[in-house]
Amino acid sequence: LASQVIQAYQSFSAAARNDFFDLLLEEYGPDHGQIVSAAQAYQQKPGFETHRALARAVETPRERLFQCLNLPAGGTSALVRMREDLLQQSTPRRVLLRGVEHDLRHLLQSWFNRGFLACRRIDWDSPASLLEKIINYEAVHEIRGWGDLRRRLEGDRRCFAFFHPSMIDEPLVFVEIALTGGIPRAIGPLLASDAEVGDEHQANTAVFYSISNCQTGLRNISFGGFLIKQVVDELRRELDQLQTFVTLSPLPRFRAWLSQQGETGGKADHVGRLAADIHRCLEDRPLWFQDDELRENLRAPLVHLGAHFLLHARLDELPVDPVARFHLGNGASLLQINWLADTSDRGLAQSAGLMVNYHYELDRIEANHEQFVKRGTVVAADTIHDLANELAGETRSG
Amino acid sequence: LASQVIQAYQSFSAAARNDFFDLLLEEYGPDHGQIVSAAQAYQQKPGFETHRALARAVETPRERLFQCLNLPAGGTSALVRMREDLLQQSTPRRVLLRGVEHDLRHLLQSWFNRGFLACRRIDWDSPASLLEKIINYEAVHEIRGWGDLRRRLEGDRRCFAFFHPSMIDEPLVFVEIALTGGIPRAIGPLLASDAEVGDEHQANTAVFYSISNCQTGLRNISFGGFLIKQVVDELRRELDQLQTFVTLSPLPRFRAWLSQQGETGGKADHVGRLAADIHRCLEDRPLWFQDDELRENLRAPLVHLGAHFLLHARLDELPVDPVARFHLGNGASLLQINWLADTSDRGLAQSAGLMVNYHYELDRIEANHEQFVKRGTVVAADTIHDLANELAGETRSG
Amino acid sequence: LASQVIQAYQSFSAAARNDFFDLLLEEYGPDHGQIVSAAQAYQQKPGFETHRALARAVETPRERLFQCLNLPAGGTSALVRMREDLLQQSTPRRVLLRGVEHDLRHLLQSWFNRGFLACRRIDWDSPASLLEKIINYEAVHEIRGWGDLRRRLEGDRRCFAFFHPSMIDEPLVFVEIALTGGIPRAIGPLLASDAEVGDEHQANTAVFYSISNCQTGLRNISFGGFLIKQVVDELRRELDQLQTFVTLSPLPRFRAWLSQQGETGGKADHVGRLAADIHRCLEDRPLWFQDDELRENLRAPLVHLGAHFLLHARLDELPVDPVARFHLGNGASLLQINWLADTSDRGLAQSAGLMVNYHYELDRIEANHEQFVKRGTVVAADTIHDLANELAGETRSG
Amino acid sequence: LASQVIQAYQSFSAAARNDFFDLLLEEYGPDHGQIVSAAQAYQQKPGFETHRALARAVETPRERLFQCLNLPAGGTSALVRMREDLLQQSTPRRVLLRGVEHDLRHLLQSWFNRGFLACRRIDWDSPASLLEKIINYEAVHEIRGWGDLRRRLEGDRRCFAFFHPSMIDEPLVFVEIALTGGIPRAIGPLLASDAEVGDEHQANTAVFYSISNCQTGLRNISFGGFLIKQVVDELRRELDQLQTFVTLSPLPRFRAWLSQQGETGGKADHVGRLAADIHRCLEDRPLWFQDDELRENLRAPLVHLGAHFLLHARLDELPVDPVARFHLGNGASLLQINWLADTSDRGLAQSAGLMVNYHYELDRIEANHEQFVKRGTVVAADTIHDLANELAGETRSG
């Protein structure tokens, strides 16, 4: 039966899927009466039996249905795709169906527990069908065909992915690494298809330069941090001369933040005014980085603003920038801001060409993570604090 | 951290494990205050947000802890062993800790969803370490060493097991099958180590003669029914001449039921009196089956009582006998009662030597299952109804 | 030691390899004195001992050396590459070193016995590193990148290769197959990257449209015929509705033969004169196939000459054309000549656009092979004999 | 066709196989006329062509036939079994058929070249069907059932075997190793089923205590020496604290040699007389090792005679003892003679309870091997030379 539902769902048109979601919403949602009476029973006599009864009443019928839909082969990936469909509904529908989506997410979160995931290396001996997916799923620095991919899998590169045993052909998340001598300050040389292949046994640094989630249906069920830590372990086992583990990461919300500074009417402070000026300049002169003088003039303010942005721009007490939030939340620290590090269209449009090295120091990860989670502290190198302080100093003196 | 907890737990003494369980009970149990206030909020304004908040409040901290303990390698099997430890506590402790056990079971039930299990054939080319476990886990008809095992894996036998991807070396449940010409009426010939090996391509019947659960920690998380159905599919694919799928099963509660009939003072009816008489006779003459006359005298009453027991002896509206409950619940029907079918010590002590063939008829499984679950109906062959009716007739006329 | 020789050889320059070959020629060649005395001993007293002594004397020291060089890992492929180097020497050197090459070939022929080869299917799940080799080794119809390759591995296509256990990553020979409804008369539609993917379960015909040897070092050690027969077996097992097994093959020596007819001064007969005329016409009008009138005028003579060429153009009593020799030697028969079947540059330059279907009829393969090997008989469809006879008739009457 | 011959052969009775061998002898043997004329042609004009023609003439038709019989699946093992049948013929038949056997051996020797063999570890996770073969093939120290085998595969034991890719389920030769602290002087403690399991990471010594050839049909096609060297490499890679690689080996011809000394009438020298006395004593008192006084009296003469036997008892200039010949030929040296090291029935009957440690010193293997092969030198520890010299001194002075 479950197998028929799964097959039917897969053949459904968008309209039929909508009907199916409406059914899940209306017929398989929480039973209010049952919950209320179980809640009252619990309030009158809290204990194992009444707690269990309440838990059972609170669990929706559709959660049990989803458990059944997982029984046949292919069930797990069908449920992942179902959540993808839910997330791609129009906004009002997404709000309407958020109970359905929440139940599905709750289940997937339990099933895609890191303990069930397998980390596998991906290389040029991997199946072409899998590599084709890597090409398609790469979300940070586009892979421009098989030749480009091949370079990213040479001896001085690594690629690892997490897989779930019920979806063995589908990577969940993958990370690309360059093995280098020293910490790179720009992405271009790493991505060049014709870059000379270095000797992995001479490298002292592993650079995580791209990490991509593959399954929209698993959005917000995060395993990227686990992957990075696992890969650090694997690399240390394979190449024990590696000393430094860093990322080379964009600041994807930097330009948007600059532009918002301009929008806020008050421009209360020096930082706000500077950001607004710089924003206008970048807008007016999109090819600014090709003009020697302009470029040099922009260097200092952009780097200072970058430091300020990373340290102080917050949303709900956490950094505004999602990449910063991700790596800092994993326990990495801010090591270095790199000027003109990514001059691709996207790098300029989102990060004003800046990139950051986040630093994964094994013996500090735990402490960094604690500080970040408990107090929102961004652990950063002194140079970055200095940059932000200089800006603040100007602000105070300005 | 999780990895340290797991390792610590494994090194714990029984006393330390008890302390750990007490901790889980007292410190990681439901937060009554939070539940009550979430319940009130829900009652005031039922909706997505209040329902989600209530669900979160109802979920115990230890459920989240168990999710974390699963992160490191080996976590899943550690949790299974943890539940085994809980189930093996003394009765008063088990009652005390039932909240802990319930939370763990709830999680394992979700994780050991049939969709995540892989069915693998076990044969003489399987790893010796796995076969050794099969020898140890066999719970129905003891495997007496490697020679006996080898016979059970010859060409006219099959063995299949379910495995979970996080416990790849540990069978969860396995089933042993004999491929025969016709439906066997006794277990002895099937188990004889020196039985001639039949031609699997001539067999028309597959006999499920033993099914064993391997993990105490997964007790009551049932996948045996799924295994039987999957194996029926596999066998039909491999050997398309197979027509009949039956079990050869004990009645493990039959003697206990007979003895209870004697105990209930009233002996209100004919069946009760007959059962009590027969029970006393079997007790007084433990070697009854070796005495030609006595054996023949016992034949009719035992077979009649067996039919009555299977059809009418109920507990909570379901058959008293767990094997009957299992196969009937899977959608099998009662086909035939076999006299003197198992004269092993256990066969006599539990089943008075009787065995039953349950019949898995593919096109009736669904309907049988529905009837059994909804109305407790035991679908049985006419001959079995006749046997039971004859007894009832005597009762009425008696 | 062997391992050092192998490594040294691989690092050798071309000059050093030449020195190595000279050494093998001069120091490890046959010991004339020993052979002569063993031969005399045998002549005086033929028997087991003298025969064995003669066999040992005749075996060259370098054959024993090659056996030793195979001991270390990678030895086998090093020896295959060694033979490749020998075959690529300049002609006078090749003649000089033919004793060395012969000994190596003798050994490789024994080691690459078909009984040691494994046939494996190649598909889109194969390692990219292997697929890259398929792209590079394809010798008949060039694979134009990964998109083209992917099309050749879709559901209505098959690819199989032979591998040797000591060279597991290196295909020795592979064949590409299209599954079609009916026998195709042109290669273009089969090779179109954007051709619609057919249903393999509806196909009644398997078309072997490309077969490529991969290892120059194994030239003239033929296993292509074994591969075709094995693949026919595999396909019949997988898709039992397949009825017809044919090739779609070029006539790579046809244009060369046409041109030779013009060169032989006498042009003694009608066929020779016609061939010379046609040859001149094709030379003069390289775009003949784009001119409607010319194309129609050339059709009949080209098809007649093709039939004559395949049936009667011989070298050492076997067909001149190597593709014909290969398939007819495998026991296939000539089924059909296809006009304008390959208008690629190579197809026009070698085969004048013609292609042939060779027919692998399972119950005739043995008999066809016998006739071909013993008497040089080319088994062909009546229509092809008719075409050749018409030409001969004109000759006689001309 | 080849496949039919192979199947027919396997179904043949012994008589039919004899007929088949006679056919191979008479119809597929060397063509004397052809050989003679090719030999004459070569003598007249030695060169590439005449040498090749002679080589072809000398090769027997049955060698080509064997090559063909290898084509079908299972061909290789059928040929191995064919040679086994040949080796098990009665002596006169074996002499008669030695040409057939020789040709088969010549081919198998080339095909079972070490470069084609794969070394695989065998452990408790290996297939039961393979382990069953290990039990059956063990030829030195009998494996007494599955419990005994299991002990031999625990953490402080290793087992490795060579396999040929065409006979993947059949071990060719396997070796058993104990990982110990120090060099053991007796076999009993190593073989005890209930011996405590040691810590492999604390061991400094690897003891090769049993090596068994599995395939009679490959007798005298030796790969045991390669296996030992390969296993030394594997063990050093796995456990880099291992320092010493020794055997614990019997002297299987020692008692036979003692008894022969008695038989040779003259008893010319002291050694001969002593050997004869000791032989008689061992014969008369088979339980000598249980008598404290007798045992002590026998100790010195037996150990001295053992040293003399290993160093000086020769056949065709090589040691009489096959185990000594094998290990010394591999480049090991004689390290130590152990008194009362094997009191099993076989150990007493063959080796008078003595055992030897042969020493595999990696940086001396090559030199030892050279000395042994070129000059028959037995490299031995000074203590062993001393023992032998003492005996010789007594001889001189006696």
Side-chain angles (χ1 to χ4, degrees), chain A residues 133-163:
Chain A
K133 286 175 184 167
I134 296 295
I135 294 178
N136 293 335
Y137 288 140
E138 162 67 65
V140 186
H141 302 292
E142 189 199 356
I143 300 179
R144 301 168 306 274
W146 289 84
D148 190 9
L149 174 65
R150 196 189 199 299
R151 178 63 191 88
R152 298 196 191 188
L153 301 173
E154 290 283 1
D156 62 348
R157 296 289 186 270
R158 290 291 182 279
C159 180
F160 289 90
F162 268 152
F163 293 82

Side-chain angles (χ1 to χ4, degrees), chain C residues 30 32 35 40 42-43 48 51-52 55 58-59 67 70-71 76 98-99 102 106 110-111 113 115-116 165-166, chain D residues 30 32 35 40 42-43 48 51-52 55 58-59 67 70-71 76 98-99 102 106 110-111 113 115-116 165-166:
Chain C
H32 295 292
I35 296 175
Q40 284 166 344
Y42 179 81
Q43 283 161 288
F48 170 68
H51 177 258
R52 186 170 67 168
V58 164
E59 198 180 48
Q67 296 251 11
N70 191 56
L71 299 180
T76 313
R98 67 199 191 282
H102 175 266
H106 185 245
S110 172
W111 285 348
N113 183 295
F116 297 132
S166 292
Chain D
H32 295 292
I35 296 175
Q40 285 167 343
Y42 179 81
Q43 283 162 286
F48 170 69
H51 177 259
R52 186 171 65 169
V58 165
E59 198 180 49
Q67 295 252 12
N70 191 56
L71 299 179
T76 313
R98 70 198 189 281
H102 175 266
H106 185 246
S110 172
W111 284 349
N113 183 295
F116 297 132
S166 292

Side-chain angles (χ1 to χ4, degrees), chain B residues 9 28 46 77 104 113 123 159 176 197 249 258 278 308 339 360 385:
Chain B
Y9 179 81
Y28 289 85
S77 42
L104 196 43
N113 183 295
D123 60 21
C159 180
E176 294 165 77
V197 177
S249 307
L258 284 181
I278 296 294
H308 179 91
W339 163 247
Y360 281 83
H385 282 293

Side-chain angles (χ1 to χ4, degrees), chain C residues 249-299:
Chain C
S249 308
L251 298 72
R253 294 283 158 83
F254 181 47
R255 285 287 303 269
W257 173 81
L258 284 181
S259 101
Q260 283 159 2
Q261 302 310 98
E263 284 164 15
T264 47
K267 299 177 188 181
D269 62 5
H270 172 67
V271 172
R273 277 190 305 273
L274 181 61
D277 289 350
I278 297 295
H279 168 62
R280 216 170 315 112
C281 174
L282 297 179
E283 290 289 309
D284 292 347
R285 303 282 301 272
L287 298 177
W288 57 270
F289 63 98
Q290 294 174 352
D291 176 326
D292 288 356
E293 195 187 338
L294 181 53
R295 191 173 63 231
E296 281 315 305
N297 287 342
L298 281 169
R299 180 186 196 123

